[in-house]
Amino acid sequence: MPAKLSIHLPGQAVVVRVLRDDGEFVLGRDADVDVRVEHDSVSRRHARLQGDAAGWHIVDLGSKNGTRVEGAKTVEATLPQNAWFALGDVFCEFERIDAAAEARLEARAAERRSSSLAWATRLERRAQSSTRLIGDLLRGIVDIAECERGFLLAYDADRALVLRACYAFRPEEIDGRSFSGSRGAVDRALLYRKPVFSSDPHVRAWLGEQPSVVAQGLRAIACLPMQYRGDVLGIAYADTSDEAKVFTQLDAELLGAYVDRAATALAMAALDAALDDLSTLLAVDQASVDEIGVAPRWSPPPKEARA
């Protein structure tokens, strides 16, 4: 029976792999292992998972920080139907699945890709107003992330970060002093210009309330910088109180692609607005700049002159 392995990397999307039950899979930090786990606490070749007719087994390969199954350090163990194990400080969820469950995972992924593409297509409607564009942008982020709430921060002309839109939030909730989401996620996304994902509550049942691994109460959080040609335009944020939500690599892929398109759409909308400002004729001298009417069109030369 195949197995689904979910690797919870701190601050990143969860890596999900479906493993066939007729082989061996080395897990570790090395680039050439079967399942790469990029974290400093994980050895280059940390552990081996093996599936056979008798079930699934895990073997520690002499790692520096050890392997734990259901919290107990082990050298070799047989995994039950569903189990948690840790490679160093990285927690992994193991679940045996059947062919039908594997097919459902694939169908769900295809469905989500289709929905994400539909939202991206809506963003490319250049005729829509900036208000409609921002509304569609935020609704798409919340929907693709499968979250309950969200907001957009964007830089204004003075490079001040302002709240542009909120979904299922009251504006006063998104305040530096009282924000109930993860302000730290926003700050990290701005500082490092990389997406931040947190769904650490899924290890709560095993690890209790340890603050080093459980982030911001019961919420799963996604926070992505919106960037266009190297410039950060703002931040897209979404969260949910649903403890069943895990942000996976598929989430990271879909949200990343959508936010990239959103940033381009916002940049084009800002350019359109700037061009609209050029519709006024200005009289400029050494002392002032005055609006004196509508900017007249430049008349091209007659065809004979261009010949």
Side-chain angles (χ1 to χ4, degrees):
M1 182 179 292
K4 184 177 77 168
L5 179 64
S6 302
I7 303 169
H8 294 252
L9 291 161
Q12 301 180 43
V14 176
V15 178
V16 177
R17 289 281 303 272
V18 174
L19 307 177
R20 304 296 177 184
D21 60 356
D22 55 355
E24 295 183 354
F25 305 89
V26 174
L27 287 66
R29 192 162 39 88
D30 207 356
D32 63 356
V33 298
D34 302 299
V35 181
R36 194 174 186 189
V37 184
E38 297 186 71
H39 193 266
D40 289 344
S41 68
V42 176
S43 296
R44 296 174 66 85
R45 296 175 65 84
H46 196 109
R48 182 177 68 248
L49 276 173
Q50 180 176 352
D52 55 33
W56 281 89
H57 317 277
I58 188 167
V59 178
D60 185 84
L61 298 178
S63 66
K64 178 180 178 180
N65 293 311
T67 300
R68 302 189 303 281
V69 176
E70 300 292 346
K73 193 168 184 178
T74 186
V75 174
E76 183 173 357
T78 298
L79 297 175
Q81 183 81 12
N82 300 294
W84 283 93
F85 65 85
L87 309 176
D89 295 332
V90 176
F91 303 96
C92 305
E93 184 178 9
F94 174 88
E95 178 186 359
R96 296 180 70 177
I97 60 175
D98 56 21
E102 183 178 1
R104 286 193 297 270
L105 287 173
E106 294 175 354
R108 178 64 177 142
E111 177 187 340
R112 295 194 61 201
R113 291 181 191 279
S114 177
S115 175
S116 176
L117 180 60
W119 278 111
T121 301
R122 291 179 68 169
L123 286 183
E124 295 172 355
R125 296 175 185 169
R126 291 293 303 280
Q128 64 180 326
S129 67
S130 59
T131 298
R132 178 66 180 272
L133 170 64
I134 290 172
D136 279 351
L137 194 164
L138 182 53
R139 282 192 291 266
I141 287 169
V142 173
D143 184 71
I144 294 169
E146 298 181 317
C147 282
E148 300 167 334
R149 314 186 302 175
F151 62 78
L152 292 177
L153 300 173
Y155 286 104
D156 63 12
D158 298 321
R159 292 301 292 173
L161 200 58
V162 298
L163 177 65
R164 290 300 308 274
C166 47
Y167 183 103
F169 272 109
R170 297 187 305 275
E172 60 269 20
E173 289 182 284
I174 310 170
D175 180 86
R177 295 177 299 277
S178 61
F179 177 39
S180 61
S182 175
R183 183 175 179 83
V186 174
D187 292 341
R188 288 196 301 274
L190 284 171
L191 178 62
Y192 297 108
R193 298 189 173 198
K194 292 182 179 181
V196 175
F197 296 97
S198 174
S199 37
D200 291 335
H202 301 278
V203 300
R204 178 182 298 276
W206 180 26
L207 299 167
E209 300 290 336
Q210 296 180 36
S212 61
V213 293
V214 178
Q216 300 296 327
L218 296 176
R219 288 192 174 88
I221 294 165
C223 191
L224 299 94
M226 296 184 292
Q227 302 182 76
Y228 180 72
R229 294 185 176 178
D231 187 26
V232 176
L233 306 182
I235 288 289
Y237 174 96
D239 72 14
T240 179
S241 59
D242 182 2
E243 292 187 66
K245 175 61 184 177
V246 174
F247 285 115
T248 66
Q249 283 185 320
L250 177 61
D251 289 289
E253 174 193 333
L254 298 180
L255 284 168
Y258 182 75
V259 167
D260 283 348
R261 292 199 183 193
T264 299
L266 284 177
M268 294 301 99
L271 177 60
D272 289 343
L275 291 175
D276 287 342
D277 290 340
L278 298 180
S279 62
T280 300
L281 177 61
L282 305 176
V284 181
D285 59 28
Q286 293 293 335
S288 63
V289 177
D290 299 312
E291 296 182 4
I292 60 174
V294 177
R297 291 186 176 181
W298 180 268
S299 300
K303 291 182 178 180
E304 307 82 60
R306 286 181 281 172

